[in-house]
């Protein structure tokens, strides 16, 4: 397998540090708003990668952090008039819900920044001892000039860089580009005690500390959105390597979901929230849409493109259903079509893999038309194995459990109401034998009727 490594700007053969095992750290959300489809693309992209690695025989440990303390969360707490931790918990749940709606396998761990202050303090102590960080009135800064590789990940020279954003005008810094590892407490803000005083962590420090806490000083893949390369990931590498870790062997970055060519932002309104989009298409169709582009290509979002993707997926799903009706249920194989495997092994080239999938669907449809059961069954096995790797097998329990499927509840209600109406008519006509037969028929499928003053209610028998 080859993967595009941002740090070396090349496609490199992927070999895990520990044979048979892949460790991955993906930057998760700063939980200060409900996720829109742009936020969730990275979750889907790295879920496809993790699934493919697992299918290829690796044991995969995926860690995705939760940034639960940040300027934006504090600002939101102000506008929502509730504690910062309630804001963070609320939106963390919204993110978890969105990942689940889209069928993303939960990570092995989802560490919160505020739960890892001890590890952050240790890391800062190491950096200060090694001469890569210094404290100034309760703030702690990373000394970018002390680390020769600073700028390598993003391919920039220190002298070309602008001052670090959040502390640009701070005159206590040795260099304007030095960034904050730790920020001293401001009145009314949450803080934690450290040897340098009360304060709260800088965003970059969190990920270095948590990645090492869960995956060790060296791990295989660090992932995140393209906008994180600089400064977030540049600063993560600097902190971790300066403290003596090897850190990530591969850096993978997914491109953006764009609207009118621009990175999707929450200013575009609620219609792009995951929970809203899945009212216009089914969750499995949204996942198909988000996964269908190459992870390093921008995905231009529009309702028209979303509908087209839903139609394309329906065609595949329709084949799966008709083929299953004819050929019966199948066991998923341990292999996929070689061309599909080659496509995914080539830097997770999902568009090329989908072309292979579509060929199998076309062959399967031809076999269906000719009623060649054997050929239908082999196409079905091929197609479902490929869909399963991408997390969009419509017969997988993720999508069929229906526990929260409102449309099925509505259908069941309509059918039962029709039987209740027939029973009411029978009673009005004094045809009590028919009325009782309908009641028994419903009882046999677990539906009990209750006659009340304002009509008949039905319940599922417990
Ligand atoms: Zn991060």
């Amino acid at each position: 397998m080859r993967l595009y490594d941002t740090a070396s700007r090349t496609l490199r053969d992927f070999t895990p540090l520990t044979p048979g095992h892949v460790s991955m750290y993906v930057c998760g959300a700063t939980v200060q708003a409900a996720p829109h489809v742009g936020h969730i693309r990275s979750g889907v992209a790295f879920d496809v990668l993790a699934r493919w690695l697992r299918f290829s025989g690796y044991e995969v440990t995926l860690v995705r952090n939760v940034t639960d303390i940040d300027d934006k969360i504090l600002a939101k707490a102000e506008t929502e008039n509730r504690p910062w931790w309630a804001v963070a918990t609320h939106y963390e749940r919204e993110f978890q819900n969105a990942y689940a709606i889209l069928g993303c396998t939960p990570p092995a761990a989802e560490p919160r920044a505020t739960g890892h202050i001890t590890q952050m303090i240790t890391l800062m102590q190491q950096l200060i001892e090694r001469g890569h960080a210094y404290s100034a009135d309760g703030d702690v800064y990373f000394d970018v000039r002390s680390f020769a590789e600073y700028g390598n990940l993003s391919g920039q020279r220190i002298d070309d860089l602008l001052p670090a954003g959040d502390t640009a005008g701070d005159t206590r810094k040795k260099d304007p580009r030095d960034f904050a590892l730790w920020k001293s407490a401001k009145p009314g803000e949450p803080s934690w005690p450290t040897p340098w005083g009360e304060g709260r962590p800088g965003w970059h420090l969190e990920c270095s500390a948590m990645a090492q806490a869960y995956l060790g000083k060296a791990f295989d893949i660090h992932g995140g959105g393209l906008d994180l390369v600089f400064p977030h990931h540049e600063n993560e590498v600097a902190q971790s390597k300066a403290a003596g870790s090897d850190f990530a062997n591969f850096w993978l970055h997914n491109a953006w979901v764009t609207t009118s060519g621009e990175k999707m932002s929450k200013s575009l309104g609620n219609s792009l929230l995951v929970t809203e989009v899945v009212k216009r298409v089914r969750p499995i169709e949204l996942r198909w849409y988000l996964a269908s582009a190459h992870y390093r290509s921008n995905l231009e979002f529009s309702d028209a493109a979303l509908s087209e993707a839903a139609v394309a997926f329906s065609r595949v799903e329709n084949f799966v259903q008709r083929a299953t009706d004819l050929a019966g249920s199948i066991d998923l194989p341990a292999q996929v079509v070689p061309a599909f495997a080659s496509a995914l092994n080539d830097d997770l080239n999902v568009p090329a893999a989908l072309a292979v999938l579509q060929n199998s669907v076309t062959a399967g449809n031809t076999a269906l038309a000719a009623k060649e059961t054997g050929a239908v069954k082999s196409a079905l096995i091929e197609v479902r194995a490929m869909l399963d790797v991408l997390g969009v097998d419509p017969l997988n329990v993720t999508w069929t459990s229906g526990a929260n499927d409102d449309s099925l509840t509505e259908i069941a209600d309509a059918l039962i109401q029709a039987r209740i109406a027939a029973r009411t008519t029978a009673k009005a006509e004094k045809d009590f034998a028919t009325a009782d037969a309908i009641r028994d028929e419903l009882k046999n499928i677990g539906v009990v009727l209750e006659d009340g003053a304002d009509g008949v209610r039905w319940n599922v028998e417990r």
Side-chain angles (χ1 to χ4, degrees):
M1 185 180 199
R2 296 190 311 163
L3 291 170
Y4 184 83
D5 172 33
T6 307
S8 61
R9 279 163 277 279
T10 54
L11 285 164
R12 289 170 53 208
D13 285 335
F14 177 71
T15 316
L17 300 170
T18 306
H21 187 269
V22 178
S23 45
M24 274 172 76
Y25 184 92
V26 175
C27 287
T30 298
V31 283
Q32 48 99 15
H36 59 57
V37 290
H39 288 126
I40 224 71
R41 182 181 183 192
S42 133
V44 172
F46 289 105
D47 186 50
V48 171
L49 176 61
R51 280 170 187 267
W52 176 238
L53 289 167
R54 287 193 182 103
F55 189 85
S56 305
Y58 295 109
E59 188 190 324
V60 178
T61 303
L62 170 64
V63 174
R64 184 180 59 217
N65 71 294
V66 176
T67 296
D68 62 342
I69 182 72
D70 181 88
D71 287 343
K72 291 190 213 105
I73 294 171
L74 298 178
K76 198 63 171 265
E78 194 89 356
T79 52
E80 293 189 356
N81 194 26
R82 54 176 168 168
W84 64 272
W85 43 263
V87 169
T89 305
H90 176 93
Y91 292 113
E92 181 183 332
R93 285 206 187 97
E94 297 245 337
F95 266 85
Q96 281 182 340
N97 184 36
Y99 290 126
I101 286 174
L102 290 177
C104 296
T105 311
E110 292 181 88
R112 296 182 185 133
T114 56
H116 298 78
I117 303 291
T118 313
Q119 289 87 341
M120 295 178 209
I121 292 172
T122 304
L123 182 53
M124 285 190 285
Q125 276 166 333
Q126 288 167 344
L127 288 170
I128 290 173
E129 278 164 22
R130 288 165 167 256
H132 292 294
Y134 55 94
S135 65
D137 307 330
D139 291 342
V140 181
Y141 291 102
F142 186 88
D143 183 347
V144 295
R145 297 275 176 193
S146 75
F147 184 65
E149 294 171 42
Y150 194 76
N152 283 5
L153 177 70
S154 56
Q156 305 178 89
R157 288 157 25 104
I158 287 191
D159 291 319
D160 297 337
L161 294 174
L162 296 169
D166 53 353
T167 49
D170 191 330
T171 52
R172 299 164 305 166
K173 296 200 288 185
K174 292 184 182 173
D175 186 292
R177 299 160 191 88
D178 291 352
F179 58 90
L181 300 173
W182 193 260
K183 300 170 183 181
S184 61
K186 297 195 186 75
E189 287 190 354
S191 63
W192 289 262
T194 73
W196 313 282
E198 290 272 331
R200 61 184 169 94
W203 174 33
H204 317 303
L205 183 71
E206 300 169 6
C207 283
S208 285
M210 289 189 279
Q212 181 175 330
Y214 291 86
L215 301 176
K217 284 176 175 291
F219 56 95
D220 293 302
I221 297 171
H222 194 314
L226 197 56
D227 46 334
L228 299 184
V229 176
F230 188 88
H232 185 51
H233 290 164
E234 189 73 70
N235 292 352
E236 276 188 39
V237 187
Q239 293 159 162
S240 300
K241 288 199 169 174
S245 295
D246 288 334
F247 213 52
N249 191 19
F250 278 76
W251 283 91
L252 267 60
H253 291 99
N254 64 280
W256 298 333
V257 178
T258 55
T259 41
S260 313
E262 301 286 325
K263 184 185 165 212
M264 185 175 274
S265 75
K266 68 179 162 65
S267 62
L268 288 165
N270 289 343
S271 67
L272 301 174
L273 294 179
V274 172
T275 46
E276 290 300 312
V277 175
V278 295
K279 291 176 184 167
R280 309 202 286 279
V281 294
R282 290 177 297 152
I284 196 173
E285 292 166 342
L286 176 57
R287 181 180 169 104
W288 169 276
Y289 173 63
L290 290 175
S292 62
H294 192 280
Y295 76 95
R296 288 198 288 122
S297 304
N298 282 343
L299 180 63
E300 172 66 20
F301 184 90
S302 69
D303 272 343
L306 186 61
S307 304
E308 268 172 40
V311 169
F313 178 72
S314 295
R315 179 175 166 271
V316 175
E317 186 180 36
N318 185 267
F319 164 71
V320 169
Q321 276 161 357
R322 291 171 59 214
T324 305
D325 289 346
L326 183 73
S329 64
I330 55 143
D331 290 325
L332 289 179
Q335 302 286 322
V336 283
V337 178
F340 181 86
S342 309
L344 292 187
N345 281 334
D346 182 16
D347 194 29
L348 210 67
N349 191 340
V350 174
L354 287 180
V356 178
L357 174 90
Q358 297 293 4
N359 285 343
S360 292
V361 171
T362 302
N365 278 328
T366 307
L368 265 177
K371 297 203 164 44
E372 291 164 358
T373 310
V376 169
K377 188 163 187 168
S378 12
L380 177 64
I381 291 171
E382 281 179 15
V383 169
R384 280 195 58 204
M386 293 187 268
L387 290 170
D388 190 56
V389 166
L390 301 173
V392 285
D393 175 12
L395 300 185
N396 185 284
V397 67
T398 308
W399 312 108
T400 58
S401 64
N404 300 310
D405 192 333
D406 293 343
S407 63
L408 274 186
T409 310
E410 280 169 28
I411 290 167
D413 183 59
L415 290 171
I416 294 166
Q417 293 299 346
R419 298 309 287 146
I420 290 173
R423 175 170 167 265
T424 307
T425 307
K427 278 167 103 176
E429 291 167 354
K430 306 216 180 306
D431 179 0
F432 297 110
T434 301
D436 288 348
I438 292 171
R439 172 186 281 273
D440 293 345
E441 166 206 319
L442 289 173
K443 191 169 179 5
N444 283 340
I445 58 166
V447 174
V448 284
L449 302 183
E450 268 174 51
D451 292 302
D454 49 357
V456 185
R457 293 167 50 82
W458 66 267
N459 277 303
V460 177
E461 201 168 30
R462 304 261 170 223

